[in-house]
Amino acid sequence: MDILMRIMDKAMECKLDRKSVMVALGGGVIGDTAGFAAAIYQRGVKFIQVPTTLMAMVDSAVGGKTAVNHPLGKNIIGAFYQPDAVIIDTDTLQTLPDRELNSGIAEVIKYGLIRDSKFFEWQEENVEAIMSRDAAVLTETILRSCQNKAEVVAEDEKEGGVRATLNLGHTFGHAIESGMGYGAWLHGEAVGTGMAMAADLSCKLGLISPSLRDRAVSLIKRAALPTTLLNPATQTEVGEEKYKELLAGLPKERFLDLMSMDKKVYNGQLNLVLLEGELGKAIVTDKFDVNDLESVVTEYCSK
């Protein structure tokens, strides 16, 4: 909120008007914040997304979701507001740290799991090439991800139906981000573990086969993303003792409480995005046994 107010202060200081254009140059947080600023400044001015991270290129810069975080929840304060253009230059990825690049791959994997089985199979063959920044493979990765996102948003811009499936792993992931403290985990790292948890729960509920769960978790691991609450990158960054403190601050009870504040809670009932059937299919449902959910969360919190 502090950054948002600084943008508002600068906009008024520079006497921006309704014909002014805001440009979001950077990663997902910058795009979300600048987009929300554009949505509310003088009830809406034009803005352009220029994403410089893989995460932003394949997901957050496309689709019109803008928001800022609240201490009690991620992206709670926001608006649906479409950019007037999205300009992508893949050369910016050549200087992106490996950890940031891998974080973006989580959202790429998501598209394959929820709606595009051929894309998932392509990723199984090319994930190492993505990670090594092969130019042609990166271009194909971004193109196919944006096509998937655009098709879903065209059908359901305000997330009243199918768009909610784009949140696979995010309810679990947002609890991790909030519980560990924003910034301790990268968003894609939290989504990676969140998708593993969603796959485990889907399997436990009999919605998918163990083999599909294993394929999902295997690809997440190959992208150098965590699939448990032990995140080696964060542990290295903060030290082993500090990381133990972070884990101790996220017991099962707090994890479930954080999930209960998710935006997919309707009329007091938590809805989850789960995999169902064959590869490339997902559902949004509140029809699950809470005991099974608690079992999965307990398993991860005790690892």
Side-chain angles (χ1 to χ4, degrees):
M1 289 297 291
D2 177 60
I3 298 299
L4 179 67
M5 288 302 103
R6 287 167 62 184
I7 295 173
M8 294 292 104
D9 291 345
K10 197 66 177 181
M12 288 186 279
E13 178 186 321
C14 294
K15 295 182 170 59
L16 299 188
D17 58 34
R18 284 187 171 178
K19 292 189 176 181
S20 298
V21 180
M22 292 189 183
V23 179
L25 173 64
V29 174
I30 290 174
D32 284 358
T33 306
F36 186 48
I40 63 176
Y41 184 70
Q42 296 196 5
R43 297 194 179 95
V45 297
K46 292 182 177 182
F47 88 106
I48 296 171
Q49 290 270 23
V50 187
T52 59
T53 66
L54 184 61
M55 172 70 70
M57 290 177 184
V58 302
D59 185 62
S60 61
V62 183
K65 279 188 176 182
T66 69
V68 294
N69 295 336
H70 184 279
L72 295 179
K74 185 176 173 68
N75 294 336
I76 292 296
I77 305 166
F80 289 97
Y81 196 68
Q82 296 292 345
D84 291 87
V86 180
I87 301 172
I88 295 175
D89 182 354
T90 56
D91 283 349
T92 62
L93 298 178
Q94 296 307 315
T95 56
L96 193 68
D98 289 343
R99 186 180 176 190
E100 290 277 358
L101 185 82
N102 298 341
S103 175
I105 297 175
E107 299 288 358
V108 177
I109 293 171
K110 172 193 72 180
Y111 294 121
L113 285 172
I114 66 169
R115 71 186 312 270
D116 192 341
S117 60
K118 296 297 183 184
F119 189 28
F120 185 89
E121 292 166 355
W122 181 86
Q123 291 171 50
E124 289 181 311
E125 296 175 359
N126 291 279
V127 66
E128 283 79 16
I130 299 173
M131 296 169 72
S132 66
R133 303 168 202 255
D134 180 285
V137 172
L138 276 176
T139 297
E140 182 71 8
T141 299
I142 295 164
L143 176 62
R144 292 178 73 167
S145 296
C146 287
Q147 287 172 336
N148 272 288
K149 181 74 176 278
E151 288 171 4
V152 173
V153 172
E155 182 179 342
D156 177 24
E157 181 183 6
K158 299 294 180 68
E159 202 169 292
V162 67
R163 183 168 182 172
T165 61
L166 294 174
N167 292 307
L168 176 70
H170 285 59
T171 301
F172 295 102
H174 288 166
I176 295 170
E177 288 182 274
S178 180
M180 291 287 189
Y182 292 124
W185 284 49
L186 297 183
H187 177 63
E189 293 171 342
V191 169
T193 296
M195 289 192 295
M197 296 179 77
D200 271 340
L201 180 57
S202 300
C203 187
K204 184 179 285 289
L205 294 171
L207 298 175
I208 63 171
S209 65
S211 62
L212 178 52
R213 176 201 58 199
D214 293 346
R215 281 180 73 185
V217 173
S218 174
L219 186 56
I220 296 166
K221 287 180 177 179
R222 286 173 61 197
L225 293 166
T227 56
T228 71
L229 291 186
L230 178 59
N231 185 342
T234 302
Q235 187 176 37
T236 299
E237 189 174 81
V238 304
E240 187 172 343
E241 290 305 313
K242 176 63 176 177
Y243 199 78
K244 287 180 180 178
E245 292 179 16
L246 293 176
L247 283 176
L250 190 56
K252 176 195 74 172
E253 294 77 14
R254 184 162 185 241
F255 198 110
L256 291 167
D257 186 55
L258 289 168
M259 290 183 71
S260 74
M261 291 182 275
D262 188 80
K263 295 183 294 299
K264 289 176 290 301
V265 173
Y266 309 126
N267 298 318
Q269 181 66 46
L270 176 64
N271 286 256
L272 290 174
V273 183
L274 299 174
L275 302 175
E276 182 183 47
E278 60 191 38
L279 176 64
K281 296 186 181 299
I283 58 171
V284 182
T285 182
D286 61 0
K287 302 297 189 292
F288 55 86
D289 190 325
V290 174
N291 291 326
D292 288 327
L293 171 61
E294 291 185 358
S295 174
V296 169
V297 172
T298 298
E299 179 184 349
Y300 276 76
C301 287
S302 61
K303 282 182 179 179

